[in-house]
């Protein structure tokens, strides 16, 4: 008995020791797996965040250079809209394929290849600067480098387009990702502000020979420089993805945890005993067989279709507004391109970011269900466009421009602009109506050129030129008395700076209000789609937004804005160039009116979404349970259109996964 007892004791102690060693090894291996997983996911998220930053930087910088490109190449707003819309055309060919097959192929390398393509496109945008020659702006010979008194009235025929003198030699988590994506536009507009202060041909011409400043109406900044920087950033952003594995290892402790279907496809178990994953076994032909049934299932979802229509129309409104917001601020409030981009990047974009964050916080704090998300999204749009309505009262009146907005005698007119440019005071001068070299008379009226102002003499050079004996520049008290004028247009009325301040305040509040509904709308979209169709649904959603909003909106907004032009420029080779002066009142009504009409239509579709949800929801769907279960989009035919109970069993739900930012 003693021997057996001792043997049992020894056997028990050995068993305990083995168990302790095995448990220690398992804990050690689990710890290493967790460290490997955390390190891999952090690298991936960091790289993906940088890609989001690069993409947002490029897109926002394009918006900031709209007016620079327009002046540089003498093109109308409608053509600039085509250029801006073409930014989205490349997505048409591959976005559906990437969204559908991307989950089954090597995702990191697809992202890396996309970055290279994006950088190549960004570099191409800057190429015309190096092939189109130097920028030439209109100036009288007397305003270049001469201090001799010359009569502009008699010398207008010698007017030339003046290029500057060339130099002798030319020289974490998913919230993390979205946060960086918001930071991208901020840096994009700030980069646009910086480049707008640099002369377009910097590095290629002698800057001392440039006779205009960034405040001049003919100034064009170094728009191309930002594209080169953005292209290099895109290249750097794509490098890490070529070295990432197809799948990230999943730690033991999380193999049984509930994750989304999309996440489980990327973060897989790294077990040598397992056979090849399903993704590697499935052929592309087999994947394609499920394409049409998936599309039919998706298009049969009424909430998805209505929300898609509402989003398309709303994005038409927002994309058009954002694209031409720099132009609107420049023309309406007489601000420089540099200051405009700085204000948008430093004030408006952070307001949008804060609005998106607030929407997610509200959803999480109050545990809002699908119906509540629809209400929050609708309320955000309604009050946002209601605030936008107040901007109609915050505009500036037209500048007094002789022959365009006022007559040479000071009367507010005009009807026939071409004929009104000539008057008795400049009848003895050989002036061209196509010139645009504005001067400001001491009477506060802007004249299109010194010749049309009837100026007989000038003194000084460059921006310090002063014109004398201008027969058309007469004061109201003594209109027959000749007066002087200086280079550049006159400033707008005294009320304009105050109106610009009011505009900024309301614009920031409006941006925040509209952005609050972004996260609830996105959650509404996700929760009304079967989990295995989410990736495909988001691909269709993104495609529709880009095709039906991203491409056409800048074009027809630009065409509408062109109808408000009062003075068109002329190209060197003949034909109509860029607009030099807009009717401020007409521009305000067209720009804000088109935005508001589209926004109102989108609200009606949002109301329809809410009506369908109310009609098809059950009492159980109206509230969220205490354990964090979500309310799904109720319907009479759950099996056909929405998430059913069997699918919820197959794909366990991670509570609040969509609202975690």
């Amino acid at each position: 008995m003693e021997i057996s007892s001792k043997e049992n004791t020894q056997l028990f102690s050995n068993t305990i020791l083995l168990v302790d060693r095995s448990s220690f090894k398992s804990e050690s291996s689990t710890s290493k797996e967790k460290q490997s997983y955390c390190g891999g996911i952090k690298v991936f998220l960091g790289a993906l965040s940088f890609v989001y930053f690069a993409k947002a930087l490029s897109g926002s910088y394009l918006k900031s250079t709209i007016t620079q490109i327009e002046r540089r190449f003498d093109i109308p707003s409608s053509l600039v809209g085509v250029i801006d819309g073409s930014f989205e055309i490349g997505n048409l060919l591959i976005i559906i394929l990437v969204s559908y097959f991307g989950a089954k192929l090597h995702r990191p390398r697809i992202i890396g290849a996309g970055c290279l393509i994006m950088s190549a496109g960004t570099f191409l945008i800057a190429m015309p600067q190096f092939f189109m020659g130097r920028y030439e702006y209109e100036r009288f010979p007397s305003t270049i480098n001469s201090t001799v008194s010359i009569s502009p009235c008699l010398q207008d025929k010698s007017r030339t387009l003046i290029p500057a003198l060339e130099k002798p030699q030319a020289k974490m988590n998913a919230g993390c990702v979205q946060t960086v994506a918001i930071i991208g536009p901020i840096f994009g507009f700030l980069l646009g502000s910086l480049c707008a202060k640099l002369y377009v041909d910097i590095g290629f011409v002698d800057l001392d020979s440039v006779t205009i400043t960034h405040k001049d109406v003919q100034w064009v900044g170094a728009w191309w420089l930002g594209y080169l920087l953005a292209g290099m950033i895109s290249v750097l952003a794509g490098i890490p993805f070529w070295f990432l594995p197809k799948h990230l290892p999943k730690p033991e402790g999380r193999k049984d945890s509930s994750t989304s279907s999309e996440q489980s496809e990327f973060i897989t178990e790294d077990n040598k005993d397992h056979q090849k994953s399903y993704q590697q076994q499935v052929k592309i032909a087999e994947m394609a067989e499920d394409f049409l049934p998936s599309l039919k299932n998706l298009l049969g979802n009424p909430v998805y279709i209505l929300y898609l229509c509402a989003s398309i129309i709303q994005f038409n409104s927002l994309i058009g507004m954002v694209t031409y917001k720099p132009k609107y601020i420049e023309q309406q409030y007489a601000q420089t391109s540099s200051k405009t981009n700085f204000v948008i990047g430093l004030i408006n974009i952070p307001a949008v970011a804060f609005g998106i964050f607030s929407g997610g916080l509200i959803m999480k704090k109050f545990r809002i269900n699908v119906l509540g998300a629809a209400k929050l999204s609708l309320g955000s749009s309604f009050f946002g466009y209601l605030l936008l309505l107040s901007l109609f009262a915050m505009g500036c009146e037209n500048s007094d421009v002789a022959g365009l907005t006022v007559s040479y005698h000071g009367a507010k007119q005009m009807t026939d602009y071409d004929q009104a440019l000539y008057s008795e005071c400049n009848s003895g001068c050989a002036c061209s109506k196509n010139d645009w070299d504005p001067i400001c008379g001491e009477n506060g009226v802007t004249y299109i050129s010194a010749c049309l102002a009837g100026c007989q003499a000038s003194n000084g050079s460059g921006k310090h030129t002063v014109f004398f004996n201008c027969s058309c520049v007469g004061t109201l008290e003594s209109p027959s008395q000749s007066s002087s004028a200086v280079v550049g247009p006159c400033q707008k009325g005294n009320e304009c700076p105050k109106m610009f301040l009011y505009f900024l305040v309301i614009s920031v509040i409006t941006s925040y209000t509209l952005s609050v509904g972004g996260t609830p709308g996105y959650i509404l979209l996700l929760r009304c789609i079967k989990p295995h169709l989410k990736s495909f649904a988001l691909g269709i959603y993104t495609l529709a937004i880009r095709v039906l909003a991203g491409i056409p909106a800048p074009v027809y907004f630009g065409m509408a804005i062109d109808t408000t032009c009062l003075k068109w420029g002329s190209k060197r080779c003949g034909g109509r160039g860029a607009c030099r002066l807009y009717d401020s009142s007409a521009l305000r009504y067209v720009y804000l009116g088109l935005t508001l009409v589209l926004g109102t239509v989108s609200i009606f579709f949002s109301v329809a979404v809410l009506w369908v949800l109310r009609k098809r929801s059950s009492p159980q769907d109206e509230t969220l349970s205490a354990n964090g279960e979500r309310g799904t989009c109720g319907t009479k035919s759950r099996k056909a259109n929405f998430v059913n109970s069997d699918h919820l069993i197959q794909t366990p739900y991670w509570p609040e996964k969509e609202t975690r930012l």
Side-chain angles (χ1 to χ4, degrees), residues 160-235:
T160 57
L161 295 171
I162 305 299
L165 298 179
E166 296 191 11
K167 289 184 177 181
Q169 297 180 352
K171 326 184 175 189
M172 336 159 170
N173 51 33
C176 177
V177 174
Q178 296 298 333
T179 300
V180 175
I182 291 296
I183 295 176
I186 296 177
F187 280 86
F189 278 100
L190 292 181
L191 179 62
S193 174
L194 175 62
C195 293
K197 282 188 176 181
L198 305 176
Y199 186 64
V200 61
D201 292 324
I202 185 173
F204 300 96
V205 299
D206 183 6
L207 296 181
D208 292 335
S209 66
V210 179
T211 60
I212 55 177
T213 67
H214 70 280
K215 296 181 179 181
D216 196 283
V217 292
Q218 300 189 69
W219 175 269
V220 175
W223 61 274
W224 52 273
L225 184 60
Y227 288 110
L228 298 182
L229 295 176
M232 289 187 287
I233 292 175
S234 296
V235 171

Side-chain angles (χ1 to χ4, degrees), residues 191-501:
L191 179 62
S193 174
L194 175 62
C195 293
K197 282 188 176 181
L198 305 176
Y199 186 64
V200 61
D201 292 324
I202 185 173
F204 300 96
V205 299
D206 183 6
L207 296 181
D208 292 335
S209 66
V210 179
T211 60
I212 55 177
T213 67
H214 70 280
K215 296 181 179 181
D216 196 283
V217 292
Q218 300 189 69
W219 175 269
V220 175
W223 61 274
W224 52 273
L225 184 60
Y227 288 110
L228 298 182
L229 295 176
M232 289 187 287
I233 292 175
S234 296
V235 171
L236 295 176
I239 292 176
F241 290 96
W242 295 99
F243 301 97
L244 289 175
K246 184 176 181 181
H247 305 295
L248 293 179
K250 186 177 179 182
E252 288 287 339
R254 294 190 59 179
K255 286 183 180 179
D256 296 329
S257 63
S258 56
T259 56
S260 65
S261 59
E262 294 89 348
Q263 186 180 6
S264 62
E265 288 178 356
F266 180 64
I267 304 174
T268 59
E269 299 179 11
D270 187 15
N271 195 330
K272 295 181 180 179
D273 296 331
H274 286 184
Q275 299 294 329
K276 290 184 178 180
S277 65
Y278 173 76
Q279 297 174 347
Q280 295 173 333
Q281 295 175 349
V282 176
K283 296 180 180 179
I284 294 181
E286 295 175 353
M287 291 187 280
E289 290 179 0
D290 192 45
F291 182 82
L292 290 179
S294 298
L295 181 62
K296 183 179 179 181
N297 196 324
L298 196 61
L299 297 180
N301 187 329
V303 175
Y304 177 78
I305 293 300
L306 287 173
Y307 182 76
L308 180 63
C309 292
S311 298
I312 289 173
I313 298 174
Q314 185 175 35
F315 272 98
N316 269 273
S317 169
L318 298 179
I319 290 174
M321 180 177 67
V322 171
T323 300
Y324 293 100
K325 193 168 191 175
K327 172 184 279 291
Y328 179 76
I329 293 177
E330 289 179 35
Q331 295 293 332
Q332 188 70 213
Y333 303 102
Q335 301 296 322
T336 64
S337 297
S338 177
K339 184 176 181 180
T340 297
N341 291 327
F342 182 81
V343 166
I344 293 176
L346 207 61
I347 298 179
N348 278 91
I349 304 299
V352 172
F354 187 54
I356 294 174
F357 175 79
S358 299
L361 188 64
I362 293 172
M363 291 292 296
K364 183 177 180 181
K365 180 72 173 177
F366 298 99
R367 307 173 69 84
I368 296 177
N369 63 355
V370 175
L371 198 60
K375 292 178 181 178
L376 183 57
S377 179
L378 174 61
S380 168
S381 298
F382 176 78
F383 287 106
Y385 286 109
L386 194 63
L387 285 169
L388 192 67
L389 188 64
S390 64
L391 294 180
F392 281 97
M394 299 176 188
C396 297
E397 295 297 327
N398 284 320
S399 299
D400 290 339
V401 182
L404 291 179
T405 60
V406 296
S407 68
Y408 281 88
H409 302 291
K412 301 284 184 182
Q413 26 159 114
M414 303 298 306
T415 52
D416 190 348
Y417 299 109
D418 289 340
Q419 297 299 326
L421 291 176
Y422 299 107
S423 179
E424 294 180 359
C425 60
N426 57 28
S427 58
C429 303
C431 303
S432 171
K433 63 182 180 182
N434 295 324
D435 295 333
W436 178 257
D437 188 13
I439 63 172
C440 178
E442 64 179 37
N443 57 352
V445 176
T446 299
Y447 297 85
I448 292 178
S449 66
C451 180
L452 288 172
C455 298
Q456 303 296 325
S458 64
N459 193 15
S461 62
K463 53 194 173 188
H464 303 293
T465 302
V466 179
F467 299 95
F468 299 101
N469 300 326
C470 302
S471 57
C472 296
V473 184
T475 60
L476 295 178
E477 291 80 8
S478 54
S480 60
Q481 181 180 355
S482 298
S483 303
S484 62
V486 295
V487 174
C490 300
Q491 294 184 352
K492 287 201 172 185
N494 296 329
E495 295 294 322
C496 201
K498 186 187 298 183
M499 287 296 179
F500 179 55
L501 182 61

Side-chain angles (χ1 to χ4, degrees), residues 616-644:
R616 298 182 177 231
S617 62
S618 61
Q620 289 80 7
D621 296 323
E622 294 287 340
T623 58
L624 283 171
S625 60
N627 61 4
E629 292 180 354
R630 62 174 176 174
T632 59
C633 296
T635 178
K636 297 177 181 179
S637 179
R638 292 177 181 268
K639 184 176 181 181
N641 295 328
F642 300 99
V643 182
N644 53 33

